[in-house]
Each structure stands twice: as C-alpha cells, then as structure tokens.
Amino acid sequence: MTYDLTVIGSGPGGYIAAIRAAQLGMKVALIEKYSTLGGTCLNVGCIPSKALLDSSELYHQAVHRFADHGLEVEKPKIDFGKMIARKGEVVKQTTDGIAFLMKKNKIDVYEGFGSFVDKNTIKIDGEESKVINTQKTIIATGSKPTMLPFIEFDKKRVITSTEALKLEEIPKHLIVIGGGVIGLELGSVYARLGAEVTVVEYADSLIPTMDVSLGKEMQKVLKKEGFKFNLKTKVESVKVEGEEVVVKATDKKGKEIEIKGDYCLVSIGRRPYTDKLNFEEIGGKMDDRGRIDVNEHLQTSVEGIYAIGDVVKGAMLAHKAEEEGVYVAEHINGEKPHINYKLIPGVVYTWPEVASVGYTEQELKESKRAYKAGSFPFRASGRARASMDIDGLVKVLADKETDEILGMHIIGPRAADMISEGVVAMEYRASAEDISRMSHAHPTYSEAIKEACLAATGDRALNM
C-alpha cells in the first residue's frame, strides 16, 4: 500500500496532523503501537489527570467549603475505585472519539510498532508484520518520563505519572520529586483526598519555567492545603524498603535530609521517545538531548521526513504538538502556515489554575528590554469573592514605550480558559490599553485581566 503521508504516533500531534492532511486531500496512514489511539495525553496524561483533578476538587470542596456556602452535609466518603473507574470511562470515550475521527476522515490506522526501512518504506510490527510505502512521513512518537539512574524504579512504590493515575489506594504520604506541572497536578489530586504530600525540587522555585511570581503564589496556596516543600534540594537516593520509600537528599544548606513515605512520584521531566524507530540508521540526526533535529519547517535531515511534538525542541505540550501537526500538513500541501512559539500558552491544572503566555519578567530583565508591569489580585474581584476563589492574581507585562503586551501570567480561577484572551491579544499585537478599553462582562473572572491592563497602562486599576 502506498500513501501520500504516514504519521507515526497517534497523540494530539499525530492524529491532528493526519486529520488535517486528509482534509487537504492526501491519502493518509496512522501507525500506533498501542491498541487505543490518543498517545500519552489522552491515555495516561492530560485527560485522565484532569478527570482525577476534577473529582478530587469536588471532594475537597464538599469537605472544606460547602459549610461556608450554607450547605450542611455529612463528610463524604471516598470510593477511590469508582473515582479511578470514572477516569477510565472518560479516557475510553475520548479515545473512541479519535477512532471515529479516523474513520470519518478515511485514514488507515495500523496497530503496531513503526520503524524505517528507508525514507519511503515503513515496517509495522504488530500481530503480523506489514510494510507500507509513503511519500512523506511525520514522526510524532512523543515522550516518556525521565528517570534518574540511581533511583530504584519499581512502578509500585516508586512511580511515574502513568502509575499515579491508576493507584489502588490513596497514599498516606506521597513524596513528589519535581516541582513542575506534572508533580504539582498529581500531588494536588492526592493532597485533596487526604494524603500528606512532600515536594522535593532542585530549583529554587516551583514551576521554574514560568514567571517567578506564579511559582511563589502557587507555593503559598499549596502550603495552605498541607503541602510541604523542599526547594533547592538535590535528591541523592530513592530506595524501597518493604512498603516504605526512603528518599535521601541534600538541602540548600548542604545538610543531608531523609524523607519517608509510602509512595514516591518521580516527575522530573520527560524525554523524547524515538526508541527502535531506526531513524538514525537511515541518516536522521538527533541533538545531544535525544531530540530529532529539524529546520524551521520541522523537516528532518532526511528528505520527506518531518518531526513534531515532544520529539523535537520546545515545550512538551499537547497543543504545541497540534499546532505543529497542522503546520506540517499545510506546509506539505504548499501553503505558508506559521507558528509563534512564544504565544503557545502553558497551563498548570491545580486549583487555582496557573496559566502563562509570552515573556516572563525575568526574560525581559535579562534581555534589558524596557517594560512596565500591572497586576490585579482576585481578592479584589467580585466574581471571585462570590465563588470564594480569591487566591491569585493576573499580571500583565507591556513594552514601556509602545504599550504592546509582551506577557500575561495568571494564577486564579479558570486561568486555563482566560489565558486565551492574552494569546489573542498578543497574536494581534494589542496594547495593554486596547484590552483595558474593551468591555468585559460583569461580574466575571476575566475582569481581572482588564484591571491588570489598566494597571499596566498607568497604574489606574479601577477596583483596587
């Protein structure tokens, strides 16, 4: 069988690329090694983690907030098995939806492990081996959790995000190595359900890739929920002793510390997954971090082969992979798409949520770019007070001379949805004053964005 385009990997980047190519009239094949489509994101990442985050937040609200709303209920009981089962059903509905989209767009799906024979020939090892021919190929094989070599990783007590989404019990004390997105989200799930959570992070702040102000505010909020933090702390060893995990580390003062828990989640990042792809054997080039080398059009060093998502440089985000998938399909079709990587937002789905797009204040200082900043706390928002979600703030950074918005950083209720206003504004190179002069419905959380823009244009927020 010969195809115009073959996509290896069915995660958000891969399946979206396949759909866009099919829309453009190409004959498309999609190769997936697992029995369900959707990759890490839909099966063991974005979707299941959000399902558990929502379930745990409802429980947390019932225990800690209902009484303040005048709702008197007995303390709810957790049926953890049912919670995990609901998560599984959400995943199934979503992955089944991807299978439907493949049929709708007449995309041939092959289950098996794809590897290159040459640039136009791909071998698929599944229940039986097959070989297909293709004019173009997109590598969208995603990533796997990074593990430190000195950690005893047994997938039972010392776990990655994959195992954390299918535990059979709520941990008594969950140790989280890594204070980034994955660690904080999954730590939040179990903290809300009653677990003690201790975070060990090598950097001096949480979510270190985002604006420092967000990490500081996040730490304050999570401390109130019972999190314990060990920042600027280097892990030396992780060992399983019976039903206990012992983590030994060196703190910021050089002192050795020991932390004991019943589970340890290792979430120090992810690595590109290109194992057994046979890409280098046909002339493909990788960088020193195992990522596939691509040019500005996401073309690899091998003619006709492209790579997108977690296997190439840039943030490991599902929506970044989607944008790249559409970009490559359209580029192959002779169109001239574009991606502004600075305007791909990052989100942490804790509660309050954290969202960020554009330049951080640290980046602007380092580049010596003249800027002004405006912020507005949710404590001063009528809508936030009504829902008792008063933690957090909106921070807007704008060019000192032109007032063009350079960055927007939010920690607060529904930040994940609100950040799109910042993305739209920055794609059209709006000024802070532009946003401040647009009518925002009252009362809404998004009024905080308008107020932060007012603060940035001349310290003239109206409600504080």
Side-chain angles (χ1 to χ4, degrees):
M1 186 73 78
T2 300
Y3 293 93
D4 298 319
L5 175 68
T6 298
V7 182
I8 306 176
S10 73
Y15 89 76
I16 289 292
I19 290 173
R20 185 66 187 119
Q23 287 176 342
L24 293 168
M26 297 180 213
K27 184 173 175 56
V28 182
L30 180 68
I31 302 172
E32 172 54 57
K33 70 172 185 171
Y34 293 118
S35 59
T36 57
L37 303 178
T40 294
C41 178
L42 273 64
N43 288 278
V44 290
C46 331
I47 300 302
S49 64
K50 302 315 159 283
L52 288 183
L53 279 160
D54 278 355
S55 295
S56 63
E57 177 61 15
L58 286 172
Y59 173 78
H60 189 264
Q61 291 273 356
V63 172
H64 299 284
R65 306 282 282 278
F66 275 18
D68 292 332
H69 284 282
L71 301 171
E72 298 294 338
V73 296
E74 290 183 22
K75 183 177 176 180
K77 295 177 183 176
I78 300 171
D79 184 338
F80 191 58
K82 192 169 185 178
M83 193 178 287
I84 293 292
R86 188 194 82 88
K87 177 266 300 180
E89 185 55 34
V90 170
V91 169
K92 184 178 185 306
Q93 289 169 0
T94 310
T95 56
D96 285 352
I98 306 304
F100 166 76
L101 290 173
M102 296 303 101
K103 288 177 183 173
K104 176 187 171 186
N105 288 281
K106 297 180 173 57
I107 295 163
D108 290 344
V109 176
Y110 293 91
E111 183 183 333
F113 200 101
S115 61
F116 289 100
V117 177
D118 58 47
K119 69 186 182 73
N120 296 116
T121 311
I122 298 173
K123 182 184 178 187
I124 304 165
D125 288 314
E127 286 187 6
E128 54 184 66
S129 287
K130 294 176 184 163
V131 174
I132 62 172
N133 296 312
T134 185
Q135 295 299 310
K136 310 280 186 185
T137 303
I138 298 176
I139 300 170
T141 46
S143 60
K144 292 285 183 186
T146 299
M147 295 303 296
L148 296 170
F150 56 81
I151 291 178
E152 290 183 11
F153 174 55
D154 66 353
K155 294 190 179 184
K156 293 177 183 174
R157 292 288 167 183
V158 180
I159 58 177
T160 68
S161 56
T162 301
E163 293 77 40
L165 290 165
K166 55 184 181 184
L167 292 179
E168 294 181 359
E169 63 179 356
I170 299 166
K172 296 179 184 69
H173 182 191
L174 176 66
I175 303 166
V176 179
I177 298 176
V181 177
I182 296 169
L184 295 184
E185 287 185 357
L186 291 172
S188 288
V189 167
Y190 291 110
R192 294 169 188 167
L193 298 178
E196 181 184 349
V197 177
T198 300
V199 176
V200 182
E201 168 57 51
Y202 184 72
D204 59 359
S205 66
L206 299 180
I207 41 176
T209 57
M210 289 185 169
D211 196 271
V212 167
S213 58
L214 300 182
K216 286 180 179 174
E217 187 70 16
M218 183 89 272
Q219 189 173 348
K220 273 192 236 171
V221 172
L222 293 179
K223 266 188 175 177
K224 288 193 288 186
E225 289 187 12
F227 274 68
K228 293 177 183 171
F229 294 99
N230 294 272
L231 303 180
K232 294 183 77 172
T233 301
K234 182 183 179 184
V235 174
E236 304 291 351
S237 69
V238 178
K239 294 195 172 163
V240 179
E241 298 179 1
E243 294 188 350
E244 188 174 64
V245 183
V246 180
V247 175
K248 292 184 178 179
T250 306
D251 70 12
K252 58 188 174 185
K253 294 179 181 175
K255 179 184 171 187
E256 286 189 7
I257 60 171
E258 185 177 89
I259 306 166
K260 294 181 178 179
D262 53 339
Y263 290 91
C264 177
L265 168 63
V266 181
S267 55
I268 55 169
R270 297 177 66 86
R271 66 168 181 86
Y273 181 71
T274 55
D275 305 10
K276 298 184 287 184
L277 193 58
N278 212 42
F279 179 61
E280 287 182 288
E281 284 75 4
I282 64 164
K285 292 181 181 173
M286 323 276 273
D287 68 14
D288 56 358
R289 293 171 63 181
R291 300 174 301 191
I292 295 174
D293 267 340
V294 291
N295 65 14
E296 69 275 17
H297 297 303
L298 298 164
Q299 293 169 312
T300 71
S301 52
V302 181
E303 183 189 3
I305 299 178
Y306 298 75
I308 64 172
D310 291 2
V311 294
V312 300
K313 64 184 178 183
M316 290 184 172
L317 297 169
H319 46 285
K320 178 252 196 187
E322 290 180 2
E323 296 301 317
E324 290 180 332
V326 170
Y327 178 98
V328 171
E330 293 180 349
H331 175 75
I332 290 171
N333 200 50
E335 300 178 20
K336 299 188 183 300
H338 90 286
I339 300 174
N340 184 342
Y341 283 98
K342 206 67 197 166
L343 300 189
I344 292 177
V347 179
V348 189
Y349 293 90
T350 48
W351 194 265
E353 293 174 337
V354 185
S356 180
V357 68
Y359 291 95
T360 65
E361 198 159 356
Q362 304 92 282
E363 287 172 331
L364 293 175
K365 282 177 181 174
E366 287 167 11
S367 66
K368 295 184 168 52
R369 184 164 183 177
Y371 71 94
K372 49 192 180 174
S375 63
F376 187 82
F378 280 102
R379 190 171 294 275
S381 158
R383 179 67 185 87
R385 284 196 296 272
S387 64
M388 298 174 62
D389 291 306
I390 56 175
D391 288 319
L393 56 93
V394 176
K395 176 176 173 182
V396 172
L397 305 170
D399 186 276
K400 193 169 185 179
E401 300 302 321
T402 67
D403 197 39
E404 179 183 348
I405 297 173
L406 303 174
M408 186 177 290
H409 311 283
I410 309 172
I411 174 168
R414 300 297 168 210
D417 299 296
M418 289 197 295
I419 198 64
S420 293
E421 182 170 352
V423 176
V424 171
M426 293 169 68
E427 281 283 9
Y428 285 90
R429 301 191 66 178
S431 67
E433 186 175 2
D434 286 334
I435 300 300
S436 74
R437 290 189 177 277
M438 293 177 187
S439 178
H440 287 63
H442 175 75
T444 56
Y445 299 126
S446 64
E447 286 176 288
I449 294 176
K450 175 174 180 169
E451 293 278 4
C453 286
L454 281 165
T457 56
D459 194 22
R460 56 193 184 93
L462 297 166
N463 283 285
M464 73 169 193

